Amino acid sequence: MPRAGQVRSTERLSDRVAIGVLTSIFPPSVVDSVLVATGRVEQRSRLLPSRLVVYFVLAMCLFSGQSYEEVARLLTEGLRERRWRTKWTVPSTAAIWKARSRLGVEPVRHLFSTVCAPVADRGTLGAFYRDWRLAAIDGTTFDLPDTTANVEAFGRPPRSGRGEKDVGYPQIRMVGLVECGTHVVFDVALGPLKTGEHDLARRVFGSLRPGMLVLADRGFFGVGLWRSAAATGADLLWRVRKDIVLTVVEQLPDGSYLSEVFDQRDPHHVRPGTRVRVVEYTLAGHNEVYRLITTILDPAAAPASELAKLYAQRWEFESTLDEIKTHLGGSHLVLRSQHPDGAEQEVYGFLLVHHAIRTLMHRAARQGGHDPDRVSFTRSLRVVRRQVTNQAAFSPQQTRPRRQSRSR
């Protein structure tokens, strides 16, 4: 029995783990609702309950260079220093791996789709062009550990021209949508390396909305894909390859012109084409002619000179990848997961942590009246990492200890 006036807590140390300021972006109530929706609620008490494992996956990506055990220590160190009464043994690598396997990829994927959305508002500097929210679509790959399971699930890069076999790490392919002004990733599709970027792109079009202007490199152009993206109501500004024939239908006063694009499977143009506006330009000191096509047909709504300058915003996607792969993941990032489900889970973990940091950066920039691009991601990452070990001792489980009657 506890002494008079003493409270006995029914909570474990692991139930009170938080990921510092990132917990404000992924509050326990949201994590719990995701676990319920994906059927990952425990039927019995565990050393590593599902909520803790979700937070562990995020911390594992936040501290990507640390071992499993060290990440677990970092999550609980701040609470230990506050003399939390309940003992908690740091789980072994094997126990953590089993807990991640039990959790699977669905909860973190569901958490991403629940929380991750564009965050810019009309007061966010650099996030809009006239009335359009700027977004970019592009693809990338992540290197994975060289295991049989990963190779079978995702595949390797093509063999080199010198005929070597089994060269390079197995890779998972990703196509994503980024809000250019904030670097927030708001939708992704993952698949094996053999899956084409066009196929993955179609899976993220559901997040496009009227009022967006979506930028894309020339590798994405295809008439079918263009039509699918335009059908969402979003406007498009995509670069096209040199071999795409663009006949001048009408010359416009700003130097752009109207044209039509046809499906390559219809070489005789039996079916009607799709009307586009073409913007051609060169860069100072270069002879190459850049060609952009857009769904914005009225030059008064978006002059050609402005669209040519605007296309440079597409590179914000590359900057976003650099933040995730180099600054957050470390140089020469290779994911740590030995199995396919763990690899996908880990990719979503990196995306979730990046989203949280970028959301906090946006809030800070708005309060100070700054462009989010002018806020240092590296410094923000350092602050977030420090906050984890200095976290306040509150319970993500939000349960109250039961009061015991005084001993008589």
Side-chain angles (χ1 to χ4, degrees):
M1 293 289 292
R3 285 177 286 182
Q6 191 176 40
V7 175
R8 175 178 291 170
S9 173
T10 60
E11 294 178 298
R12 296 166 297 176
L13 177 65
S14 61
D15 293 328
R16 297 177 69 94
V17 166
I19 46 174
V21 295
L22 298 193
T23 309
S24 66
I25 309 299
F26 309 114
S29 58
V30 172
V31 174
D32 287 346
S33 67
V34 164
L35 293 172
V36 170
T38 55
R40 295 301 195 277
V41 178
E42 274 84 10
Q43 301 302 315
R44 61 189 180 90
S45 178
R46 293 183 181 274
L47 176 65
L48 291 167
S50 294
R51 183 201 291 167
L52 175 60
V53 180
V54 171
Y55 284 137
F56 177 86
V57 170
L58 301 182
M60 178 185 76
C61 297
L62 182 61
F63 298 99
S64 61
Q66 304 296 331
S67 67
Y68 276 175
E69 292 93 338
E70 184 60 23
V71 172
R73 291 189 187 98
L74 288 168
L75 281 173
T76 57
E77 193 63 30
L79 300 179
R80 289 181 183 279
E81 291 177 358
R82 290 170 175 80
R83 298 181 182 179
W84 183 251
R85 296 186 186 93
T86 307
K87 292 184 179 180
W88 189 70
T89 303
V90 174
S92 66
T93 294
I96 294 172
W97 178 83
K98 290 179 182 178
R100 285 188 58 202
S101 297
R102 285 195 306 270
L103 182 70
V105 67
E106 283 302 321
V108 287
R109 181 191 291 130
H110 194 77
L111 182 60
F112 178 86
S113 63
T114 299
V115 176
C116 297
V119 298
D121 55 37
R122 289 292 175 178
T124 303
L125 299 178
F128 289 82
Y129 166 67
R130 298 196 177 194
D131 291 331
W132 287 280
R133 181 189 302 271
L134 297 178
I137 185 170
D138 209 341
T140 189
T141 57
F142 290 86
D143 290 340
L144 309 174
D146 195 352
T147 65
T148 301
N150 283 338
V151 172
E152 291 178 350
F154 300 113
R156 296 183 191 273
R159 296 177 182 178
S160 72
R162 291 174 293 183
E164 294 120 323
K165 297 181 179 180
D166 299 330
V167 295
Y169 290 101
Q171 294 178 335
I172 184 171
R173 189 182 298 282
M174 182 189 87
V175 169
L177 290 168
V178 166
E179 185 178 46
C180 296
T182 63
H183 291 192
V184 162
V185 182
F186 61 95
D187 200 357
V188 298
L190 304 178
L193 193 59
K194 65 181 180 181
T195 306
E197 288 187 338
H198 286 204
D199 292 331
L200 293 178
R202 294 179 188 276
R203 289 163 48 185
V204 302
F205 285 169
S207 293
L208 299 183
R209 299 286 184 272
M212 289 183 178
L213 179 55
V214 184
L215 315 177
D217 199 3
R218 56 190 171 186
F220 276 87
F221 178 72
V223 175
L225 196 67
W226 174 270
R227 289 171 176 167
S228 296
T232 65
D235 281 298
L236 312 178
L237 180 65
W238 292 10
R239 188 180 173 190
V240 294
R241 303 186 308 272
K242 295 178 181 179
D243 61 344
I244 302 296
V245 177
L246 296 172
T247 303
V248 177
V249 173
E250 180 184 347
Q251 190 69 49
L252 300 173
D254 68 340
S256 63
Y257 60 91
L258 298 181
S259 185
E260 289 184 320
V261 291
F262 296 86
D263 194 326
Q264 292 181 339
R265 294 169 296 181
D266 180 26
H268 300 293
H269 301 173
V270 175
R271 292 183 292 274
T274 298
R275 183 62 59 93
V276 297
R277 178 166 154 240
V278 184
V279 176
E280 296 183 344
Y281 64 97
T282 59
L283 299 177
H286 297 271
N287 296 324
E288 183 179 6
V289 176
Y290 290 80
R291 295 195 304 169
L292 310 177
I293 61 173
T294 180
T295 55
I296 307 171
L297 303 183
D298 182 2
S305 60
E306 293 183 6
L307 292 180
K309 293 178 182 178
L310 188 67
Y311 184 71
Q313 290 289 313
R314 192 200 71 78
W315 289 98
E316 300 299 340
F317 194 103
E318 304 298 333
S319 298
T320 301
L321 291 180
D322 184 63
E323 292 169 357
I324 296 171
K325 288 187 170 184
T326 303
H327 298 290
L328 185 56
S331 60
H332 307 294
L333 172 65
V334 178
L335 303 185
R336 71 174 81 204
S337 302
Q338 307 286 316
H339 296 272
D341 274 0
E344 291 193 48
Q345 182 192 79
E346 193 173 350
V347 171
Y348 279 108
F350 274 110
L351 295 171
L352 285 163
V353 172
H354 179 267
H355 176 88
I357 296 172
R358 269 294 170 181
T359 300
L360 295 169
M361 291 171 65
H362 173 254
R363 292 176 183 175
R366 284 287 283 115
Q367 291 175 358
H370 302 298
D371 187 329
D373 284 348
R374 301 298 181 183
V375 180
S376 170
F377 181 83
T378 302
R379 290 182 180 179
S380 302
L381 175 59
R382 290 170 183 163
V383 170
V384 169
R385 283 173 172 165
R386 287 198 298 268
Q387 285 285 341
V388 171
T389 52
N390 295 325
Q391 60 192 333
F394 77 96
S395 171
Q397 204 167 34
Q398 295 181 332
T399 58
R400 294 181 179 179
R402 292 182 297 178
R403 293 187 175 275
Q404 303 288 339
S405 59
R406 293 187 178 184
S407 56
R408 300 180 183 275

